[in-house]
Amino acid sequence: MASVPCVRRSPPLLRLVGVVTTLCGASWAFARRPSLLRPSSRGNAGNAGNALTPQQLTGRLKAAETSNHLLFLVEQYENVLNEYHVRAALTRLAQSNETTTLSGDPGFRKLLSRTSELMTTFRSQALATVLWSLAKVEYDPGEPFLRSVIDASLPQLKQSKPQEMVNSLWACARFGYQPGDAFLEALVDTSSSTMDDFEPMDVANLLWSFARLGFHPGNHFLDAVVARSLEIVQSFAPVDIANILWAFAKLKVDEGERLRPLLQQAEEQLDSFEPAKLASLLWSCNKLQLDPSLVLLRALPCRSNRELTELRPRGLSYVLWVYGLLGHNPGTAFLQRVMEKLSRTVPAFDYCGAQGLSGILWSCARFNYDPGEEQVTALLSSAQQHLLQFTPAQLTRLLWACAKLQRRPREEFLQAWLEQARKHLPDFEAEELLLCHRSFNQLNFTEGEALMKPT
């Protein structure tokens, strides 16, 4: 048998064969590897190769490692998603710490669309999950969507668990959405009869939500919440105590002294409070006429510069204002630290708002602390840019502080102040007019004295 001749391939030909073989292998391997990018279109979920049982799909959604992967699954199986799948997908998104923008994501839009389709078939737990999850990811679906969830929830409220009711109301409060008196009153009735089943976080979030929505649930209901709160006072976390005391203060609960055990519980956990919650706690004490302990009053000045920075300009100005309301001097060192931080913003003392700007200088004046010409000038310059937002009370505080510190503002500022005051002159209280008149007298500004002369 003749032997087959051996053909010698040239080196270039060998290299070409190797490249082709490598590319073919890589192409095959890539086709077998799950894509890390979501394509713009998906095959139908009914494809036998992709079919999953409903239970398997729920498991896949719960186990999705990223939002991208989860929304990949939503797109792939959008036509077969049921109540459990929607719950699992939205809960997973809410629990994710990713900062992905969802509004423009096609998978997220399909998830919302499927949710709308199934809304009237959802039970209370799923409806509450929809609202809570969207609030957690800070996506406002709009009034028609929210209305449809509330309408579907209302007939089921009597069978709802405390956490479901609270999550729904909390979401409405976060969105600033008024669910309507029928829903709110039904929720009050149902939660009143099940108050003994409410956990500390549920109690706090329920009352916080009512207060945030500006809805007063009635004194009888508040009495029930106070009683339940005192029963479980030892179980409240710092954030819950801050939130519920803030809510009691906003709703103007009678006999604030009844809440003393809550305040004592807070004082035992001060190291665990975030600076913003400490400031909220102090404000609540003032509104509820609860005298805070020295330990609580000194808690914020003991915090590090890094922790104080977390408050941002508006929060820092709020802290000074609260100490002014309480009449407690937090100390020169603390006042210096706060004023230095506020003066370092660009522009200086910006981002504080009208209340913050008036409260900063007012508090300094209350405690006889003069920040110095440079900082006062910078603060008044910022205030002048925002004078259109100042109320009569804020205008009065700012002017009184200038007079108290003997810091006469520039003529340009005084004229701008007068222009704003003229617009709201009928709204000034008699005491405010008197304070402004005296302040202009001290500042030797006769035009202002004449305008603000009490009648």
Side-chain angles (χ1 to χ4, degrees):
M1 183 175 180
S3 63
V4 177
C6 179
V7 179
R8 292 191 61 189
R9 294 175 177 156
S10 65
L13 183 58
L14 286 172
R15 284 197 295 272
L16 178 59
V17 171
V19 168
V20 171
T21 303
T22 301
L23 287 175
C24 290
S27 176
W28 177 85
F30 185 77
R32 300 270 298 180
R33 182 183 303 156
S35 175
L36 297 179
L37 298 175
R38 287 164 45 217
S40 58
S41 62
R42 292 279 173 256
N44 192 297
N47 186 315
N50 292 330
L52 293 175
T53 67
Q55 293 81 3
Q56 288 174 328
L57 180 54
T58 301
R60 291 277 187 92
L61 292 167
K62 288 181 177 180
E65 294 184 359
T66 65
S67 298
N68 191 57
H69 180 208
L70 181 137
L71 295 173
F72 171 100
L73 291 170
V74 168
E75 285 189 76
Q76 191 173 25
Y77 294 95
E78 60 175 307
N79 294 327
V80 297
L81 295 178
N82 62 28
E83 174 182 345
Y84 299 100
H85 301 143
V86 170
R87 268 179 50 201
L90 287 173
T91 301
R92 183 68 188 84
L93 285 175
Q95 292 171 341
S96 171
N97 292 322
E98 298 175 50
T99 56
T100 307
T101 300
L102 295 172
S103 58
D105 191 289
F108 184 67
R109 290 200 301 269
K110 289 179 178 179
L111 179 58
L112 289 181
S113 176
R114 185 61 175 168
T115 302
S116 295
E117 291 175 15
L118 301 173
M119 190 83 71
T120 56
T121 68
F122 281 3
R123 287 167 292 184
S124 60
Q125 185 178 8
L127 292 166
T129 298
V130 169
L131 289 174
W132 175 82
S133 300
L134 293 178
K136 287 289 286 185
V137 299
E138 299 181 353
Y139 177 82
D140 188 339
E143 197 277 340
F145 185 97
L146 294 172
R147 184 73 262 159
S148 65
V149 182
I150 294 301
D151 288 344
S153 301
L154 182 55
Q156 303 185 56
L157 271 183
K158 288 186 178 180
Q159 291 77 43
S160 298
K161 297 178 181 178
Q163 188 177 15
E164 295 164 5
M165 292 187 286
V166 171
N167 284 352
S168 296
L169 189 65
W170 177 85
C172 289
R174 287 292 300 268
F175 290 131
Y177 173 74
Q178 293 290 341
D181 288 346
F183 181 84
L184 293 170
E185 289 169 4
L187 198 149
V188 168
D189 290 342
T190 304
S191 55
S192 294
S193 61
T194 58
M195 187 61 66
D196 289 344
D197 298 327
F198 276 65
E199 297 295 330
M201 182 185 292
D202 296 331
V203 175
N205 286 345
L206 178 70
L207 207 63
W208 178 90
S209 301
F210 279 135
R212 186 74 180 266
L213 290 169
F215 176 82
H216 198 293
N219 290 332
H220 181 72
F221 180 83
L222 289 180
D223 288 342
V225 174
V226 170
R228 178 59 179 162
S229 299
L230 297 182
E231 286 176 4
I232 55 177
V233 64
Q234 299 295 328
S235 303
F236 276 102
V239 65
D240 298 328
I241 298 175
N243 286 344
I244 198 167
L245 285 175
W246 177 86
F248 278 130
K250 290 291 285 186
L251 295 170
K252 300 178 180 178
V253 68
D254 295 330
E255 303 175 31
E257 191 61 34
R258 291 184 295 166
L259 305 173
R260 175 70 61 183
L262 280 168
L263 185 59
Q264 292 172 340
Q265 179 68 8
E267 291 171 346
E268 293 177 7
Q269 306 179 60
L270 289 181
D271 290 342
S272 301
F273 273 79
E274 295 178 358
K277 292 303 180 183
L278 281 175
S280 173
L281 198 60
L282 290 172
W283 177 85
S284 300
C285 286
N286 178 69
K287 296 295 287 185
L288 294 167
Q289 298 183 345
L290 274 171
D291 293 329
S293 67
L294 280 177
V295 175
L296 174 54
L297 289 168
R298 293 170 179 170
L300 272 171
C302 292
R303 293 300 176 94
S304 66
N305 283 330
R306 180 185 60 79
E307 289 177 289
L308 292 182
T309 301
E310 294 173 5
L311 287 169
R312 300 177 184 265
R314 194 176 293 270
L316 288 169
S317 62
Y318 175 78
V319 166
L320 291 188
W321 176 67
V322 169
Y323 275 118
L325 290 175
L326 290 168
H328 174 80
N329 190 340
T332 299
F334 180 75
L335 293 171
Q336 287 177 337
R337 288 165 65 197
V338 172
M339 292 298 288
E340 285 174 9
K341 287 182 178 296
L342 292 172
S343 64
R344 288 175 188 164
T345 61
V346 180
F349 292 98
D350 209 2
Y351 316 109
C352 294
Q355 179 167 307
L357 288 166
S358 64
I360 292 167
L361 206 60
W362 174 76
S363 298
C364 288
R366 280 212 68 182
F367 303 133
N368 296 313
Y369 172 74
D370 188 342
E373 183 176 355
E374 183 178 349
Q375 289 188 350
V376 171
T377 301
L379 188 149
L380 293 178
S381 176
S382 181
Q384 186 174 339
Q385 302 302 314
H386 299 86
L387 277 178
L388 289 176
Q389 286 80 49
F390 274 60
T391 64
Q394 292 162 354
L395 289 168
T396 301
R397 281 199 294 266
L398 191 61
L399 188 67
W400 175 85
C402 290
K404 181 77 162 52
L405 295 171
Q406 298 181 4
R407 294 285 182 182
R408 191 180 195 275
R410 295 172 181 173
E411 187 71 19
E412 182 184 1
F413 175 89
L414 292 172
Q415 291 299 333
W417 190 101
L418 285 180
E419 183 180 351
Q420 179 67 0
R422 287 190 185 98
K423 295 177 184 177
H424 300 281
L425 200 56
D427 300 323
F428 278 82
E429 300 287 344
E431 185 179 352
E432 292 168 347
L433 285 172
L434 181 60
L435 278 175
C436 290
H437 180 78
R438 289 176 177 173
S439 298
F440 277 129
N441 178 269
Q442 290 178 269
L443 294 170
N444 194 27
F445 188 60
T446 55
E447 187 179 351
E449 272 189 88
L451 177 67
M452 305 306 290
K453 186 175 182 179
T455 55

